[in-house]
Amino acid sequence: MSTFTAIGEDREIDQEEFTPGVEPQATWCPGCGDFGVLKALKGAMPEVGRTPDETLLVTGIGCSGKLSSYFESYGFHSIHGRALPVARAAKLANPGLEVIAAGGDGDGYGIGGNHFMHTARENHDMTYIVFNNEIFGLTKGQTSPTSPKGHESKTQPHGSAKDPVRPMSLSLASGASYVARTAAVNPRQAQEILVEAIQHDGFAHIDFLTQCPTWNKDAKEYVPYTDIQDSDEFDLDTGDRREAAETMYEAESRLYEGEVLTGRFYHDPDRPSYGEEKRAQGDVPEEPVAERYFEDGEWERTADRLIDRHT
Ligand SMILES: Cc1ncc(C[n+]2csc(CCOP(=O)(O)OP(=O)(O)O)c2C)c(N)n1
Ligand code: SF4
Ligand SMILES: [Mg+2]
């Protein structure tokens, strides 16, 4: 079965289908928050109703990037900071695929920051999970763009003199149409948010707090956490940009004071995705731009039809 013929299958899906036969056990350190992302993602897929054949997971480089090895679906372990351009191209080539991109805070907010900003701006239809452990985990604990000011590490032995990136504020200002923060220690909320993000038509960004007990002992486990949707202190209208911006700023500031605020911060269900805009203009076809196979073994390239139209 190809990824094209599998799309639209209607059947019960078991989350165990997302456990690969090769390397079923993740090799992350004991207590690593990355396990929580994998668990929540596997739990979300049956709820969304997508099979491994209908899903593409693109990852960057880092401990977080190993997610695609431990999750059964189409997978692409790309290069550092470049998961989003790969994911964008795949989604445009095959709009029926459920595309999920994932990587670390260094990967997505540092070296890949430019791609993050523009993928949000263009509202590409995908879910982007950023494992935020406030450190470079894989390369053994260097300061990352989300490390708190004053954080001591091998690269900043006297403490970082830099203000950290505000991931949700950056995402909203750039144009993301769904923005949330969750934490590995909150698996129920994490799964619910993943389901919403995957079902959202547009760029859905999740800042996923993942503790790194090996290299970032300061970050502890992101507990206790408060779900802003359950808190009496917040009465946020997630469709209101200004309110969302204020609440994100508050959550980002308080994280560095030791208070973990999680939940849904912004959701605009009406903004058309980049793919929808391009299809409306007739610039990309409705069907995949890749090779299409037929039952009798014949195939055609819809890309050829596109090229004919432009020559
Ligand atoms: C172009 C390039 N520069 C640097 C590296 C080295 N490198 C690998 S992973 C990494 C940072 C990982 O940190 P993060 O993205 O936060 O992921 P984590 O390991 O914390 O999940 C770096 C700098 C690389 N692989 N490629
Ligand atoms: S180094 Fe940190 S982020 Fe990497 S697997 Fe170990 S605990 Fe997880
Ligand atoms: Mg990291």
Side-chain angles (χ1 to χ4, degrees):
M1 186 179 281
S2 80
T3 183
F4 305 122
T5 53
I7 287 171
E9 258 190 301
D10 186 16
R11 63 173 179 81
E12 283 276 302
I13 299 156
D14 186 331
Q15 71 173 54
E16 270 317 300
E17 294 176 41
F18 293 91
T19 302
V22 178
E23 216 169 351
Q25 293 292 331
T27 57
W28 292 311
C29 310
C32 176
D34 297 8
F35 287 102
V37 184
L38 178 62
K39 186 169 185 299
L41 186 58
K42 282 185 184 174
M45 295 313 292
E47 275 195 63
V48 173
R50 292 294 219 165
T51 65
D53 288 324
E54 296 174 318
T55 308
L56 170 70
L57 176 62
V58 185
T59 53
I61 299 297
C63 297
S64 42
K66 297 181 188 175
L67 184 73
S68 51
S69 301
Y70 311 140
F71 183 80
E72 179 72 16
S73 69
Y74 288 96
F76 196 130
H77 196 166
S78 70
I79 53 173
H80 200 29
R82 304 297 183 262
L84 288 174
V86 174
R88 287 164 57 156
K91 184 68 184 179
L92 285 174
N94 188 353
L97 261 187
E98 193 62 67
V99 175
I100 301 166
D105 44 307
D107 191 88
Y109 304 147
I111 190 169
N114 183 35
H115 298 300
F116 175 51
M117 181 174 85
H118 292 288
T119 308
R121 173 175 71 87
E122 296 167 20
N123 200 28
H124 287 265
D125 183 14
M126 65 180 66
T127 302
Y128 186 37
I129 306 168
V130 182
F131 294 54
N132 184 0
N133 56 11
E134 304 177 57
I135 203 93
F136 288 181
L138 187 74
T139 46
K140 303 190 189 305
Q142 298 87 348
T143 300
S144 88
T146 51
S147 301
K149 194 169 186 175
H151 180 262
E152 290 175 16
S153 68
K154 292 172 182 172
T155 44
Q156 307 282 334
H158 304 297
S160 171
K162 302 170 189 175
D163 278 321
V165 158
R166 293 177 174 272
M168 294 190 288
S169 299
L170 177 62
S171 184
L172 181 74
S174 301
S177 46
Y178 181 95
V179 186
R181 169 174 272 173
T182 188
V185 287
N186 191 352
R188 182 187 53 78
Q189 184 206 51
Q191 185 170 318
E192 286 170 8
I193 283 180
L194 269 165
V195 170
E196 283 174 22
I198 296 169
Q199 286 173 337
H200 173 71
D201 294 328
F203 188 69
H205 165 226
I206 303 172
D207 186 68
F208 207 126
L209 299 168
T210 49
Q211 70 277 6
C212 172
T214 302
W215 297 109
N216 192 8
K217 301 198 186 330
D218 291 359
K220 304 203 174 61
E221 291 196 340
Y222 301 110
V223 280
Y225 56 82
T226 302
D227 184 331
I228 57 165
Q229 265 78 37
D230 294 341
S231 159
D232 292 338
E233 189 192 340
F234 298 94
D235 183 24
L236 170 65
D237 171 0
T238 55
D240 185 316
R241 276 189 92 83
R242 280 175 198 274
E243 277 188 36
E246 275 173 28
T247 314
M248 287 171 182
Y249 194 89
E250 194 65 26
E252 287 160 344
S253 303
R254 290 206 212 167
L255 183 67
Y256 297 116
E257 292 155 16
E259 191 181 348
V260 185
L261 298 175
T262 63
R264 294 85 168 156
F265 287 79
Y266 185 65
H267 187 196
D268 176 0
D270 300 323
R271 189 174 158 216
S273 69
Y274 179 81
E276 282 175 81
E277 299 271 20
K278 293 297 275 182
R279 281 190 288 282
Q281 289 174 351
D283 274 354
V284 294
E286 298 288 333
E287 64 270 52
V289 191
E291 295 165 354
R292 298 192 68 219
Y293 294 86
F294 300 103
E295 305 244 316
D296 57 6
E298 291 295 307
W299 57 274
E300 66 170 10
R301 285 167 57 94
T302 46
D304 292 340
R305 270 190 265 152
L306 257 191
I307 291 162
D308 286 347
R309 274 191 36 204
H310 289 281
T311 48

